[in-house]
Amino acid sequence: MTDQHLADLADLAPLDLPEAGEAEAWRSFLSRRVEGELATARAQADALRVLAAGDAAALERWNDLHVALGNAFAVSSLLAQVHPDQQLRESAERFEQELHAFQTGLMLDVEVFGRLESVPREGLDEALAPGATRVLDDALRAFRRSGVDRDDATRERLATLSARDSDLSQAFGRNIRDGATSTRVPASALAGLPEDYVAEHPAADDGTVAISTAYPDMGPFLMFSADAAARREVMTTYLNLGWPANDEVLGELLAVRDETARTLGYDGWPDYDAELKMIGSGSAIAEFVDRVAADAADSAQRDLAVMLERARHDDPGVERLTVADSRYLGEVVRREQFEVDGQAVRGYFDFAKVRRGLLDVTARLFGLTYTDVAEAPTWHDEVAAYDVTLDDTGERLGRIYLDLHPREGKYNHAAQFDLVSGVGQRQLPEGVLVCNFGRGRMEHSEVVTLFHEFGHLLHHVLAGRHPWARFSGVATEWDFVEAPSQMLEEWAWDHSVLATFATNADGEPIPAALVERMRAAEEFGQGIYAATQMYYAAISYRFHAELPDDLTARSAALSQQYAVWERLPDTHFHCGFGHLSGYTSGYYTYMWSLVIAKDLFSAFDADDLFAPEVARRYRDTVLAAGGSADAADLVEAFLGRPYDNRAFTAWLES
Ligand SMILES: [Zn+2]
């Protein structure tokens, strides 16, 4: 990595963690770390306030404040999700709330804002460090977006709206969680389900079994039950989660967001929210959704026809397929027409070999070495720590932790967490992969997930040498964040890559023909997938842009317009669509990232995914840059042209 912005990390050491199992030592480590860093952040804010107007040192104090605040947030957010000691997890959560409160107050602090605003932009990069102007502009924009420069009454109203937004968002999520329920279906509907599933669902005296709305319960049922009427009932229950309570909650939430955005001078919430993203404006979301929907239409209709024909095999009277048929028929078609047997595939993915393989593949690809630091203490004995060094120079880039198996009280999805964000000449980046894989065989989809999440981890470590905390790690626009990870998934679909670690009990590598069939099966239904995603994206955008009076009616109309599946009557999908609280109007982002991921991947040689030159250039141009430039510029620097949707469209139509 030759970028002039990247400072030396040579003599920096990773955090010294307590030994696993020493709960008391961990509690005092957490308190010391959070309280110490928060005290530093407060001290930097105080120091900033007393600077003379126009003193460029304000930006350095701002950076120091963010290094400290970031450190406090990282350790509490991580330990709240992964530490085995419940008491420690709870105190980490309380620290998180305290940090949020400090941050909210800071962003409405007129004095801090004033000192930063008075810093002259001219010559700033030369006087401080390259990127200073970008950091200043970003800070001032964040302050203005929180309303710091408004009159007292407006700031008070904005604070009220912000608090109301957070209450309503919490209520929205709580109504979905608390609304979890089950549906009683005839025991005969379990024919075709795995034995262990059937055993866990004993029939009651009336001959029925209960299927809950929890994913591990509902998912296999919708995938394997041949009983169309039972699937329909289970799906109907699911599509009424949060109904009717959330209809009103969501209506008010949309109004609160709209008022917030308009108070700040924006033409509605989607424009406000999109301002910080690559897409830039609300109207661009509408255009993107419609373009992807149009591109996906042919492939979606083609695959739908295949599924309809297969459904008529069992029941000649079927006229239209509903969302209750989608997973079942998708699975049947993949099994019958693509001959992909999930059990056989599993036989090639032994966890220990996959983990070793992932490290070998990414080390080779990006010119890195991972050194097992077996003696490094962590929060649990199953967590492995590795130091990451750059082969070109031998220098240490950071430390990664792999926490990959489930345990009680641990975060139950897959995500990358920061332990420390890297800052040049100050602190080494340390990142953590938190997943929940079994300790034996893995599904291929889990292998793909592991590669995906590892992409975030590499981004965090490789972009850890900037002097500005704002640029460190995955500090890029929200609608670009997934692209590097989505691209790394491609390596988990390549036979020559898989053959390096996917071997069965006899040591035979996975056959090329099987990987070929797996890829073909995966491609089946991707137009339908894209159309469905655009239906969700349309709800997320249209609801926030239009504030419809009747959310159910608007949702039904959007279903008619975008979704491939016939809508089930008397259902209220929007009430259980939890992403509306976090993604707000931006559910399109995952697909947006995928467009760029496909374009990035087009620069690689599909016949030689290990070709070193392109991978190193990608590492240095896109990943190592972190948030130091706009994502579109990073992608253009790598591709040698602006990104476009040709590779994505070709993929959709394949
Ligand atoms: Zn991701």
Side-chain angles (χ1 to χ4, degrees):
M1 289 188 278
T2 52
D3 195 311
Q4 51 162 344
H5 301 223
L6 303 179
D8 194 10
L9 295 171
D11 42 8
L12 300 175
L15 280 186
D16 212 356
L17 301 177
E19 296 287 340
E22 296 190 359
E24 202 45 60
W26 272 96
R27 284 175 214 159
S28 79
F29 165 78
L30 174 68
S31 309
R32 268 200 326 273
R33 177 85 176 154
V34 177
E35 285 163 2
E37 297 292 327
L38 185 55
T40 303
R42 288 189 202 284
Q44 294 299 340
D46 292 342
L48 205 162
R49 285 191 201 92
V50 298
L51 288 174
D55 189 340
L59 199 60
E60 291 177 306
R61 297 290 78 75
W62 178 251
N63 189 46
D64 294 345
L65 190 165
H66 273 273
V67 172
L69 189 58
N71 286 343
F73 260 123
V75 75
S76 34
S77 307
L78 171 70
L79 295 180
Q81 300 290 348
V82 302
H83 202 277
D85 178 33
Q86 187 181 352
Q87 197 186 327
L88 183 132
R89 289 199 303 273
E90 287 168 1
S91 75
E93 272 183 27
R94 284 192 298 275
F95 279 131
E96 275 187 290
Q97 287 160 4
E98 190 181 341
L99 294 167
H100 275 295
F102 171 75
Q103 192 174 39
T104 305
L106 179 70
M107 296 314 290
L108 287 168
D109 189 317
V110 179
E111 282 184 282
V112 172
F113 172 65
R115 290 301 177 284
L116 285 168
E117 199 189 23
S118 70
V119 172
R121 299 173 81 261
E122 203 163 320
L124 197 60
D125 285 26
E126 293 73 30
L128 298 179
T133 319
R134 183 175 169 84
V135 174
L136 178 62
D137 289 346
D138 178 81
L140 296 178
R141 186 173 60 177
F143 272 103
R144 293 198 179 98
R145 283 172 57 83
S146 65
V148 74
D149 55 348
R150 307 290 159 146
D151 60 55
D152 288 353
T154 309
R155 290 167 61 219
E156 202 172 304
R157 180 65 186 154
L158 285 167
T160 306
L161 289 169
S162 165
R164 189 70 188 138
D165 185 322
S166 115
D167 286 352
L168 289 164
S169 295
Q170 274 185 352
F172 191 71
R174 192 168 51 239
N175 287 337
I176 296 171
R177 283 195 307 276
D178 294 352
T181 176
S182 55
T183 315
R184 299 214 72 92
V185 300
S188 60
L190 295 187
L193 275 117
E195 264 175 47
D196 53 337
Y197 186 95
V198 176
E200 283 162 16
H201 293 79
D205 290 345
D206 65 355
T208 64
V209 295
I211 309 297
S212 82
T213 45
Y215 284 124
D217 216 34
M218 187 183 70
F221 185 82
L222 291 174
M223 191 172 275
F224 296 117
S225 174
D227 186 333
R231 287 199 311 264
R232 207 177 160 101
E233 286 200 34
V234 168
M235 198 68 193
T236 298
T237 303
Y238 176 66
L239 291 174
N240 278 313
L241 279 181
W243 167 263
N246 269 349
D247 197 56
E248 199 180 318
V249 171
L250 184 57
E252 189 187 346
L253 189 54
L254 297 171
V256 163
R257 288 174 179 166
D258 186 67
E259 186 185 338
T260 303
R262 291 185 190 281
T263 303
L264 289 163
Y266 295 82
D267 187 18
W269 179 266
D271 274 351
Y272 174 75
D273 187 60
E275 183 186 43
L276 297 187
K277 297 182 175 151
M278 292 183 81
I279 203 160
S281 73
S283 58
I285 299 176
E287 284 160 26
F288 176 74
V289 167
D290 284 351
R291 197 188 74 217
V292 173
D295 286 348
D298 286 351
S299 142
Q301 289 305 324
R302 194 176 58 220
D303 292 349
L304 186 67
V306 172
M307 290 162 94
L308 186 59
E309 191 187 311
R310 177 60 187 77
R312 285 179 176 152
H313 218 71
D314 295 339
D315 176 2
V318 177
E319 288 193 2
R320 288 210 53 182
L321 299 177
T322 74
V323 64
D325 304 316
S326 64
R327 287 186 224 183
Y328 172 73
L329 285 166
E331 177 64 17
V332 168
V333 169
R334 285 188 191 97
R335 197 169 52 230
E336 292 178 355
Q337 302 188 12
F338 296 94
E339 298 169 51
V340 173
D341 174 356
Q343 292 299 323
V345 172
R346 265 172 85 91
Y348 290 98
F349 295 110
D350 167 72
F351 174 80
K353 284 195 254 177
V354 171
R355 191 178 77 161
R356 187 67 250 160
L358 165 82
L359 295 174
D360 290 345
V361 165
T362 54
R364 185 173 155 195
L365 188 61
F366 295 116
L368 305 171
T369 297
Y370 305 106
T371 308
D372 190 347
V373 202
E375 70 280 9
T378 69
W379 48 96
H380 191 275
D381 287 338
E382 276 191 326
V383 180
Y386 297 84
D387 276 339
V388 184
T389 49
L390 190 64
D391 290 345
D392 297 342
T393 59
E395 67 190 304
R396 177 153 71 176
L397 292 179
R399 178 168 285 184
I400 57 170
Y401 298 87
L402 304 181
D403 183 352
L404 301 180
H405 302 303
R407 60 176 174 268
E408 200 183 322
K410 181 181 150 178
Y411 178 79
N412 65 356
H413 300 285
Q416 184 257 319
F417 287 79
D418 304 344
L419 176 58
V420 180
S421 287
V423 181
Q425 291 171 330
R426 280 201 197 188
Q427 54 187 35
L428 272 183
E430 298 185 62
V432 185
L433 212 57
V434 182
C435 298
N436 287 276
F437 302 124
R439 294 162 183 83
R441 299 284 172 185
M442 297 172 81
E443 307 283 339
H444 178 253
S445 63
E446 294 179 310
V447 178
V448 174
T449 299
L450 182 59
F451 272 72
H452 175 105
E453 298 302 339
F454 200 79
H456 293 305
L457 190 61
L458 280 175
H459 202 173
H460 176 73
V461 170
L462 290 170
R465 303 200 291 178
H466 296 276
W468 301 107
R470 171 64 187 79
F471 299 163
S472 181
V474 190
T476 183
E477 291 101 314
W478 197 3
D479 46 5
F480 179 68
V481 164
E482 295 299 335
S485 286
Q486 288 167 331
M487 191 186 79
L488 202 57
E489 289 179 23
E490 303 278 356
W491 273 256
W493 285 102
D494 182 82
H495 176 255
S496 62
V497 171
L498 292 175
T500 63
F501 62 85
T503 52
N504 63 15
D506 298 329
E508 298 157 346
I510 191 166
L514 176 56
V515 176
E516 204 49 53
R517 293 201 304 278
M518 286 159 60
R519 292 172 63 115
E522 178 68 11
E523 279 170 16
F524 177 79
Q526 67 200 9
I528 294 176
Y529 167 76
T532 307
Q533 287 289 308
M534 290 306 94
Y535 164 52
Y536 300 156
I539 288 191
S540 131
Y541 168 71
R542 293 280 164 202
F543 275 21
H544 284 88
E546 300 168 0
L547 312 181
D549 283 336
D550 185 340
L551 297 175
T552 301
R554 189 66 183 117
S555 169
L558 290 169
S559 170
Q560 181 79 20
Q561 189 178 346
Y562 293 98
V564 170
W565 311 109
E566 177 94 331
R567 183 171 170 273
L568 290 171
D570 302 318
T571 57
H572 305 85
F573 165 67
H574 63 282
C575 290
F577 187 18
H579 285 312
L580 286 177
S581 66
Y583 278 82
T584 73
S585 50
Y587 188 76
Y588 76 91
T589 53
Y590 202 79
M591 195 62 80
W592 180 272
S593 281
L594 191 59
V595 171
I596 303 173
K598 294 292 178 191
D599 203 8
L600 289 171
F601 186 61
S602 72
F604 287 79
D605 178 357
D607 293 326
D608 180 12
L609 289 191
F610 287 114
E613 189 273 335
V614 61
R616 307 296 153 87
R617 202 160 50 75
Y618 170 74
R619 175 194 76 189
D620 296 348
T621 318
V622 179
L623 298 178
S628 64
D630 291 353
D633 295 337
L634 299 179
V635 173
E636 181 167 351
F638 171 63
L639 292 175
R641 58 166 171 80
Y643 72 90
D644 61 48
N645 66 342
R646 286 174 301 170
F648 174 76
T649 309
W651 167 79
L652 255 189
E653 288 168 355
S654 63

